[in-house]
Amino acid sequence: MANFAKPENALKRADELINVGQKQDALQALHDLITSKRYRAWQKPLEKIMFKYLDLCVDLKRGRFAKDGLIQYRIVCQQVNVSSLEEVIKHFLHLATEKAEQARSQADALEEALDVDDLEADRKPEDLQLSIVSGEKGKDRSDRELVTPWFKFLWETYRTVLEILRNNSKLEALYAMTAHKAFQFCKQYKRTTEFRRLCEIIRNHLANLNKYRDQRDRPDLSAPESLQLYLDTRFDQLKVATELGLWQEAFRSVEDIYGLMCMVKKTPKSSLLMVYYSKLTEIFWISSSHLYHAYAWFKLFSLQKNFNKNLSQKDLQLISSSVVLAALSVPPFDRAQSASHMELENEKERNLRMANLIGFNLEPKFEGRDMLSRSALLSELVSRGVLSCASQEVKDLFHVLEHEFHPLDLGSKIQPLLEKISKSGGKLSSAPSLPEAQLSQYVPALEKLATLRLLQQVSKIYQTIRIESLSQLVPFFEFSVVEKISVDAVKNNFVAMKVDHMKGVVIFGNLGIESDGLRDHLAVFAESLSKVRAMLYPVPSKASKLAGIIPNLADTVEKEHKRLLARKSIIEKRKEDQERQQLEMEREEEQKRLKLQKLTEEAEQKRLAAELAERRKQRILREIEEKELEEAQALLEDTEKRMKKGKKKPFLDGEKVTKQTVKERVLTEQLKERQEMEKKLQKLAKTMDYLERAKREEAAPLIEAAYQRRLVEEREFYEREQQREVELSKERHESDLKEKNRLSRMLGNKEIFQAQVISRRQAEFDRIMTEREERISQIIRARKQERDIKRKQIYYLTIEEERIRKLQEEEEARKREEAERLKKEQAERKAKLDEIAEKQRQREREVEEKGRLEREAALKGTNAPPARLAEPTVTPTGTAAPAATAPAAAAASGPAKYVPKWKRQTTEVSSAPTAAPTPSETDRWPNRGPPPGDDHWGNSRGPAQNTDRWTSGRDRAPPAEGGDRWGSGPRGSDERRSAFGSSRPRPTQR
């Protein structure tokens, strides 16, 4: 997507692309510009861009692009400059129509080119197969490919424009004009499918207008201009529908017009009403609704007579004749008499709907056929004087069919009248809005009515008549047609007759004969059976009856008396029940009255509360309106102050001032002022352009002459300066030669001085270099010594750390071994002690057992010898102990506690501090650091030596095999010398 700094740049880019044949790219560039959010403020160049954009859309048949562009442009100029949008849409319609006309003019056969059922449908599969199979395309197919695409595009254009302009109060006229053009398109090219879709689109637009009442810029149907535009559109739709023969769509258009009139509750002009009822007459006649057709003619007659001042007598007579004949054409019987309940309900609803369309307001609770009927219409025509305005033959026909009784010569009297009526009719000169009055269309219906009247009158004077005689009485039809008419009449109970073809006669009878015979056949059969029974079993005489009754008379009287008493009691009881019910009803009525009164009081309170809330709401709205009025006045004054003195003018004279109105007016004035300023700037720019062009045209020869003069002057100046420079160069060369000759005698002294300076500086340089080399060598030696010392220290520290780590590991291993040994010794000692305790317990048990036996022997009085005393036990030390004290002695004289060798050595050293350890004792810890009794440096730490940590090497015992690592032997001394460069040992801290 290309970004343009100005809209004009996009237009130039599009022109460049069009010139090189890239119209699609040009269209895409303009489409990106129009749909961009960067250009949402209306500018004059945007209108030119839209013109170019629509040209490309029409050339490339890009209906979708055109719709997107128009929607975006509507958003841009909806509140700023609606006239620009109107001009753009008109240009779009003109281009599409022109292209369609050009394609139509190029086609030779229009009917073949337009032989498409649906412009929005794609090509059929059989058409594609035909185009592939046939090698050479026919002319009709080439015409189809040439004309149909442009007609599709034109239809899509109408739909797009109507969709963009819908429900817009500022473009209602353009919307109506577009709809009219679309109707004419459908009418001219017989596009019935598109016409139905167009009617549905317009109908949906009106429905959405009523559904969304809070839309911005919504058309106000209560305004006369808007209502007139909408009505004109619907009447155009109705006219085109009738001309195309789409009677269903025409009837829906009539309903749309009626709904629109009910919506705004205003009666349209009389001229439109005349068109409305004239189209209704055609629709009802086509649908065979003769009754509604007659009523529509009657309304049309009333409108013409009351509102058409130029109506001639001849046209009035023709209209009244049409009304009378239409009323006579209505069948004289009601077809709904024999219908079912559902059909009656549907018929009632249909009558109510049709009556509303015609203009008769019927109450739903009344039967429609009782108010809209043939008899009512005829009486209305007579009372209104319509019959008196009709022609003489129509009057005669009316009297013959409705009032006179001529069963034998009715056909002969009516036939000449019908012949005269069939020749009447024609165009109404003083009523151009009405259709052509053709009275001949009523002749078939009148002939049928005459046949029905003849059959009705003949049935009153004849009971039987021959078929040939009846055919002679009816000169209009053959007997087969008469028979069909009679079947319909019999079905609707208009006449009762039967046709006997075997005898060749027609039998007339009472209307109730057939129906009563079929309905009461069971009752007749029952009466016949009753008569047969009476004949078989006759009733006895009165004397025999009395003889049988008298013996039982007393019983009968008694029974009758009891029955009467029971009946009396029942009557009294019923009276009591009735009185009780009456009291209950009165009580219920009183409760209902109290309840109703309470509800009325509550409703009154609610009404008062609602009125109070409404008054409060009205007061708040009034305060808000007054506040908005004050703000509007302040805004108005501020605007007038800011405006120029020369352009001050009063706003809103005689109008209701609101804040929104003032804002709109201020915005309009600002827009006008801005447009005037733009025009002034354009005019000033044009003036400055002309002035600058004139100045430059006058100055061009002067500038050229000045340029030539300047060239001559510059050339002369250049030559003078060149000559002067040459002279100065020569003078400088001569002075330089003189100076050289003057200084040539000092050349020897200069060379001697130069050699002295160079030799002195060379000696100084050599001395400085020697000193620098010496200083560098000293630094190198010092740094080398430092590196050696540091390396030795690191080596010593590494060895020392390794030795300490090994000592720690050995100490830990020794401690683990000692702990394991101690655990083992403790386990062995515990086992020995447990064994001794077990033996002691065994001896105690034996002693107790012997004592028990002795006591038992003493109790029995036996002379058994006394028990032997316990033998003394021998302790591990070899001494004897009494038996009673043996366990304690055994426990005290157990095996001695194990003492490690190094602790025994420490004890010995403590007791004899001057004794030196033997070589065998020192061999226990060879080269692994000091023994457990020594300190860190190999010194034995007895009680007298723990205070001196730094004991000299000569006070310690000599280590085995030449001493330990830090002893006083020669090995230790050599190591200390190698590490520290001195024979004196120094302690190191970890």
Side-chain angles (χ1 to χ4, degrees):
M1 176 178 177
N3 293 322
F4 299 99
K6 295 181 179 180
E8 294 87 345
N9 298 340
L11 188 60
K12 293 178 182 178
R13 177 61 178 167
D15 291 334
E16 293 173 357
L17 293 172
I18 292 172
N19 293 332
V20 297
Q22 298 180 2
K23 291 186 177 182
Q24 183 63 37
D25 296 339
L27 177 63
Q28 187 63 42
L30 294 179
H31 181 267
D32 294 341
L33 176 74
I34 293 170
T35 56
S36 175
K37 295 182 179 180
R38 185 176 180 181
Y39 305 100
R40 288 299 174 88
W42 185 84
Q43 305 176 27
K44 186 64 177 176
L46 287 178
E47 186 175 349
K48 298 180 181 179
I49 291 173
M50 281 302 300
F51 285 148
K52 179 64 70 176
Y53 178 76
L54 293 176
D55 291 342
L56 291 173
C57 289
V58 173
D59 290 340
L60 298 175
K61 301 176 187 176
R62 302 294 189 204
R64 179 61 60 183
F65 275 76
K67 183 176 181 179
D68 294 343
L70 288 174
I71 290 174
Q72 294 296 327
Y73 193 67
R74 180 187 64 182
I75 295 173
V76 170
C77 59
Q78 176 72 25
Q79 304 298 330
V80 181
N81 192 358
V82 183
S83 59
S84 176
L85 177 61
E86 185 175 358
E87 294 297 327
V88 168
I89 291 177
K90 287 181 179 179
H91 178 70
F92 182 42
L93 290 174
H94 174 70
L95 288 177
T97 308
E98 185 179 2
K99 288 290 184 180
E101 290 296 332
Q102 289 178 1
R104 177 177 172 272
S105 62
Q106 293 176 4
D108 295 332
L110 180 61
E111 294 297 331
E112 289 81 358
L114 297 179
D115 190 13
V116 182
D117 294 335
D118 189 355
L119 291 178
E120 294 185 0
D122 297 331
R123 296 183 63 184
K124 298 179 181 179
E126 53 267 22
D127 296 336
L128 296 174
Q129 292 178 359
L130 181 61
S131 63
I132 294 173
V133 172
S134 59
E136 183 178 357
K137 292 184 179 181
K139 190 177 186 314
D140 54 348
R141 228 174 304 132
S142 64
D143 292 338
R144 181 191 300 270
E145 293 177 357
L146 177 65
V147 178
T148 303
W150 281 112
F151 276 79
K152 286 183 179 180
F153 182 77
L154 181 58
W155 166 244
E156 187 177 356
T157 300
Y158 286 134
R159 291 189 59 176
T160 299
V161 173
L162 289 175
E163 186 67 24
I164 291 172
L165 300 179
R166 65 184 179 91
N167 301 342
N168 195 323
S169 59
K170 299 179 181 179
L171 297 172
E172 290 176 341
L174 184 59
Y175 179 85
M177 184 195 72
T178 306
H180 176 71
K181 287 185 176 181
F183 288 142
Q184 295 303 317
F185 165 78
C186 297
K187 173 185 173 182
Q188 184 178 0
Y189 302 112
K190 304 294 187 295
R191 307 310 309 173
T192 57
T193 305
E194 284 73 23
F195 180 76
R196 291 191 184 93
R197 290 177 181 168
L198 180 62
C199 295
E200 192 64 29
I201 289 170
I202 296 176
R203 197 171 292 115
N204 290 335
H205 289 174
L206 182 60
N208 292 332
L209 177 64
N210 296 325
K211 185 177 180 181
Y212 306 104
R213 295 180 177 272
D214 56 347
Q215 284 184 344
R216 189 176 183 180
D217 298 327
R218 174 183 173 271
D220 186 10
L221 294 180
S222 60
E225 296 82 3
S226 301
L227 177 61
Q228 189 62 36
L229 288 173
Y230 274 85
L231 284 176
D232 291 342
T233 303
R234 267 60 183 184
F235 275 104
D236 288 342
Q237 174 180 333
L238 177 59
K239 291 176 183 178
V240 175
T242 54
E243 291 176 3
L244 291 176
L246 302 175
W247 301 108
Q248 185 69 25
E249 198 62 42
F251 183 74
R252 295 183 68 184
S253 302
V254 169
E255 288 185 326
D256 292 343
I257 295 172
Y258 176 74
L260 196 59
M261 290 189 294
C262 293
M263 188 186 304
V264 297
K265 297 181 181 180
K266 289 184 180 180
T267 305
K269 297 179 180 179
S270 58
S271 59
L272 294 179
L273 285 178
M274 291 176 187
V275 176
Y276 175 80
Y277 285 111
S278 65
K279 298 302 179 183
L280 269 181
T281 57
E282 297 181 19
I283 294 170
F284 287 142
W285 182 256
I286 293 297
S287 62
S288 299
S289 300
H290 296 96
L291 179 61
Y292 306 124
H293 170 77
Y295 269 102
W297 261 114
F298 179 56
K299 295 289 290 187
L300 194 58
F301 171 79
S302 301
L303 288 172
Q304 287 290 338
K305 189 175 181 180
N306 294 332
F307 295 100
N308 193 353
K309 305 300 181 182
N310 300 325
L311 187 63
S312 62
Q313 187 64 29
K314 181 181 179 181
D315 293 342
L316 180 62
Q317 183 180 7
L318 192 57
I319 294 173
S320 58
S321 300
S322 300
V323 176
V324 175
L325 293 177
L328 290 174
S329 301
V330 180
F333 47 80
D334 190 3
R335 297 180 182 271
Q337 289 181 357
S338 61
S340 63
H341 176 72
M342 185 62 68
E343 293 176 351
L344 288 175
E345 289 296 326
N346 294 335
E347 184 67 21
K348 180 181 178 181
E349 184 179 357
R350 181 172 178 270
N351 290 338
L352 184 62
R353 183 179 175 188
M354 297 301 176
N356 291 331
L357 290 179
I358 296 172
F360 290 90
N361 295 325
L362 298 181
E363 294 294 334
K365 61 184 178 180
F366 295 110
E367 292 292 336
R369 62 174 180 270
D370 295 339
M371 301 190 67
L372 295 182
S373 61
R374 184 175 184 274
S375 58
L377 178 60
L378 291 175
S379 62
E380 188 77 14
L381 295 181
V382 174
S383 62
R384 292 290 184 89
V386 179
L387 184 61
S388 61
C389 297
S391 59
Q392 187 61 39
E393 54 270 15
V394 174
K395 294 179 183 178
D396 297 341
L397 182 64
F398 178 79
H399 287 293
V400 169
L401 291 175
E402 297 298 325
H403 301 293
E404 296 180 2
F405 186 78
H406 302 284
L408 299 180
D409 55 352
L410 182 62
S412 60
K413 286 186 176 182
I414 287 177
Q415 190 171 9
L417 296 177
L418 293 178
E419 290 178 358
K420 291 180 181 180
I421 290 173
S422 62
K423 297 177 181 179
S424 303
K427 187 68 177 176
L428 301 176
S429 59
S430 59
S433 60
L434 295 182
E436 185 177 358
Q438 294 292 341
L439 302 183
S440 58
Q441 64 179 352
Y442 301 107
V443 171
L446 293 173
E447 291 177 348
K448 183 178 179 181
L449 175 64
T451 304
L452 290 172
R453 290 298 184 191
L454 189 144
L455 291 174
Q456 186 183 27
Q457 294 179 10
V458 168
S459 66
K460 292 180 180 180
I461 61 173
Y462 290 105
Q463 187 174 3
T464 305
I465 187 173
R466 296 183 63 83
I467 293 177
E468 293 81 2
S469 301
L470 186 60
S471 300
Q472 292 176 1
L473 294 177
V474 183
F476 319 117
F477 306 113
E478 295 180 357
F479 184 75
S480 59
V481 180
V482 175
E483 189 175 5
K484 292 180 181 178
I485 296 173
S486 63
V487 170
D488 197 9
V490 171
K491 180 181 178 182
N492 292 280
N493 294 329
F494 183 72
V495 66
M497 56 180 292
K498 291 191 296 183
V499 180
D500 192 348
H501 287 281
M502 294 181 64
K503 297 179 180 180
V505 296
V506 176
I507 302 172
F508 298 100
N510 196 354
L511 287 175
I513 292 176
E514 296 294 332
S515 60
D516 293 342
L518 295 175
R519 183 171 60 247
D520 301 333
H521 63 282
L522 292 178
V524 173
F525 182 66
E527 291 177 359
S528 301
L529 289 178
S530 179
K531 291 179 182 179
V532 171
R533 180 179 177 280
M535 292 173 65
L536 294 175
Y537 304 100
V539 180
S541 62
K542 294 183 179 179
S544 62
K545 283 186 177 180
L546 184 61
I549 293 174
I550 288 174
N552 299 325
L553 182 60
D555 296 337
T556 303
V557 171
E558 184 67 22
K559 290 180 181 179
E560 186 68 20
H561 180 66
K562 291 181 180 179
R563 188 181 65 80
L564 291 174
L565 290 177
R567 183 172 178 273
K568 183 179 179 181
S569 63
I570 291 172
I571 290 172
E572 293 295 334
K573 187 176 180 180
R574 287 181 179 177
K575 285 183 180 180
E576 292 176 359
D577 293 340
Q578 188 175 4
E579 291 176 359
R580 186 170 59 256
Q581 290 178 359
Q582 186 70 23
L583 291 175
E584 290 179 356
M585 290 176 62
E586 290 178 359
R587 186 166 56 253
E588 290 178 357
E589 289 292 336
E590 183 66 20
Q591 291 178 357
K592 289 181 180 179
R593 188 183 63 79
L594 294 176
K595 187 176 181 181
L596 181 61
Q597 184 179 359
K598 185 178 180 181
L599 292 175
T600 306
E601 292 176 357
E602 292 178 355
E604 183 66 20
Q605 292 178 0
K606 289 182 180 179
R607 186 183 64 80
L608 293 176
E611 290 180 356
L612 180 62
E614 184 66 24
R615 286 195 297 272
R616 188 182 294 109
K617 183 179 179 181
Q618 293 295 334
R619 180 176 57 80
I620 294 172
L621 292 176
R622 189 165 54 254
E623 291 178 356
I624 293 174
E625 186 175 357
E626 291 176 357
K627 186 176 180 181
E628 289 184 353
L629 182 60
E630 293 176 0
E631 294 179 355
Q633 292 291 346
L635 182 61
L636 182 60
E637 293 176 0
D638 188 20
T639 305
E640 291 180 352
K641 289 179 182 179
R642 286 190 282 104
M643 290 179 62
K644 296 181 179 179
K645 295 182 179 180
K647 289 194 174 183
K648 276 191 177 181
K649 60 180 181 180
F651 287 92
L652 309 170
D653 293 338
E655 296 183 8
K656 186 178 180 181
V657 180
T658 61
K659 188 176 180 181
Q660 185 65 24
T661 308
V662 172
K663 285 184 178 180
E664 292 178 358
R665 293 294 181 89
V666 170
L667 184 61
T668 305
E669 292 298 328
Q670 290 178 355
L671 179 62
K672 289 182 180 179
E673 187 176 356
R674 192 182 302 114
Q675 291 178 353
E676 291 177 0
M677 184 61 68
E678 290 178 357
K679 290 180 181 179
K680 288 182 180 179
L681 290 175
Q682 291 178 359
K683 185 176 180 181
L684 181 61
K686 185 181 288 187
T687 305
M688 294 297 294
D689 188 16
Y690 289 158
L691 182 60
E692 186 66 23
R693 188 181 296 111
K695 287 168 59 179
R696 292 188 180 184
E697 289 178 356
E698 292 295 331
L702 299 178
I703 292 173
E704 183 66 24
Y707 174 69
Q708 296 298 332
R709 288 196 303 272
R710 184 66 179 271
L711 284 178
V712 174
E713 292 175 358
E714 290 290 339
R715 186 174 295 279
E716 293 176 356
F717 177 75
Y718 172 73
E719 291 177 355
R720 288 197 303 271
E721 289 296 324
Q722 188 71 16
Q723 184 66 28
R724 183 168 169 274
E725 185 66 27
V726 170
E727 293 176 355
L728 290 175
S729 298
K730 289 181 179 180
E731 291 177 358
R732 284 197 296 270
H733 182 64
E734 292 175 357
S735 61
D736 290 341
L737 289 177
K738 291 179 181 179
E739 186 69 18
K740 180 180 178 182
N741 294 329
R742 188 178 65 82
L743 295 176
S744 59
R745 58 187 179 82
M746 304 176 188
L747 183 60
N749 295 330
K750 187 267 291 185
E751 292 177 353
I752 294 170
F753 178 74
Q754 182 177 359
Q756 291 176 357
V757 171
I758 289 172
S759 61
R760 187 171 59 254
R761 289 182 180 178
Q762 183 67 34
E764 183 68 20
F765 175 74
D766 293 339
R767 182 182 60 78
I768 291 171
M769 287 299 294
T770 303
E771 293 176 357
R772 180 175 178 274
E773 290 177 356
E774 291 177 357
R775 188 167 60 255
I776 289 173
S777 62
Q778 290 177 1
I779 292 171
I780 290 172
R781 286 194 299 273
R783 289 181 179 178
K784 187 175 182 181
Q785 290 177 0
E786 290 177 1
R787 283 197 302 273
D788 293 341
I789 293 171
K790 188 175 182 179
R791 195 161 41 244
K792 290 178 181 180
Q793 290 177 354
I794 291 171
Y795 177 73
Y796 167 72
L797 292 174
T798 303
I799 293 175
E800 183 67 17
E801 289 175 357
E802 182 67 21
R803 185 186 66 78
I804 292 171
R805 185 180 62 79
K806 289 182 179 180
L807 288 176
Q808 291 176 352
E809 290 177 356
E810 291 175 356
E811 180 67 20
E812 291 176 358
R814 184 187 60 76
K815 287 180 180 180
R816 285 195 298 271
E817 292 176 356
E818 183 67 23
E820 291 176 358
R821 186 180 58 77
L822 289 175
K823 287 181 181 179
K824 189 174 180 181
E825 290 178 355
Q826 290 176 359
E828 292 176 353
R829 182 182 178 186
K830 183 178 180 181
K832 290 180 180 180
L833 291 175
D834 292 341
E835 185 179 356
I836 294 171
E838 183 64 28
K839 290 180 179 179
Q840 181 66 26
R841 286 192 295 273
Q842 184 67 26
R843 285 194 294 271
E844 289 177 356
R845 284 195 296 272
E846 291 177 355
V847 171
E848 290 176 357
E849 184 64 25
K850 288 180 180 181
R852 185 179 62 78
L853 293 176
E854 288 176 357
R855 286 191 301 272
E856 288 178 357
L859 290 174
K860 290 179 179 180
T862 59
N863 295 324
R868 189 180 54 179
L869 296 175
E871 297 179 357
T873 58
V874 181
T875 62
T877 56
T879 60
T885 60
S893 61
K897 184 179 179 181
Y898 173 75
V899 180
K901 189 175 181 180
W902 62 275
K903 284 190 177 183
R904 293 198 298 272
Q905 292 175 358
T906 305
T907 306
E908 293 173 358
V909 170
S910 300
S911 59
T914 57
T918 60
S920 61
E921 293 176 355
T922 58
D923 290 341
R924 184 177 179 84
W925 310 97
N927 296 327
R928 288 191 302 176
D934 295 345
D935 60 2
H936 184 71
W937 299 102
N939 299 324
S940 298
R941 291 186 292 176
Q945 294 178 350
N946 287 335
T947 57
D948 189 6
R949 183 176 178 85
W950 305 101
T951 306
S952 175
R954 58 180 177 270
D955 295 333
R956 293 176 295 181
E961 298 178 1
D964 61 0
R965 186 169 184 178
W966 304 104
S968 59
R971 182 178 179 184
S973 300
D974 294 339
E975 290 178 354
R976 285 195 297 272
R977 290 189 189 95
S978 63
F980 299 99
S982 174
S983 61
R984 183 181 178 181
R986 288 182 296 177
T988 352
Q989 295 183 0
R990 288 181 291 177

